[in-house]
Amino acid sequence: MTALRPSVRDHHPARPSTTSEQPTPPAPESHPGPPASDRPAPGRRDADAMAVASFVCGLVGLLVMNLVLGPVAIVLAGLALLRGTTRPGRARLGLVLGIADLAVLAFLVSADHTWSWSIG
């Protein structure tokens, strides 16, 4: 009885394979959009989203809920700038608007002597 062990001669790396194995083509990308090299890294996208959210919170905070939205805008802007956003101008504007929210709140509190305010 002979051993079922393959011989070294059959699997020599310098010798081309006698079987007709074709390499499989790469699978198409499952997601549309630009190539992976053109897309920002996930952390960078989060920083960009924080910059935009900071701007929106600061802008809306000038009209309503400035006690809450002002500090949120300041924190989001700071995080976006620390994480290296591609929109530093928007983050800085969100920071300024967040500070303005708190300044408007301080002015209205000193004028009305109350934490709530209304127009009219």
Side-chain angles (χ1 to χ4, degrees):
M1 199 168 218
T2 61
L4 297 175
R5 194 179 85 207
S7 68
V8 174
R9 185 185 60 152
D10 293 339
H11 298 290
H12 193 271
R15 206 174 288 167
S17 175
T18 58
T19 60
S20 60
E21 293 181 24
Q22 296 293 328
T24 57
E29 289 189 26
S30 61
H31 49 80
S37 61
D38 293 343
R39 277 185 249 129
R44 182 71 49 107
R45 282 187 295 184
D46 291 344
D48 291 346
M50 285 184 208
V52 172
S54 153
F55 172 73
V56 170
C57 286
L59 194 60
V60 172
L62 287 173
L63 302 174
V64 294
M65 296 183 8
N66 47 5
L67 179 63
V68 174
L69 293 177
V72 168
I74 292 169
V75 169
L76 286 175
L79 287 174
L81 290 171
L82 285 175
R83 292 184 182 186
T85 181
T86 58
R87 300 173 182 209
R90 181 111 0 123
R92 287 186 196 108
L93 191 55
L95 181 67
V96 169
L97 287 171
I99 294 169
D101 290 348
L102 296 179
V104 165
L105 179 66
F107 173 75
L108 293 173
V109 166
S110 67
D112 281 351
H113 303 291
T114 182
W115 284 96
S116 63
W117 60 275
S118 62
I119 299 175

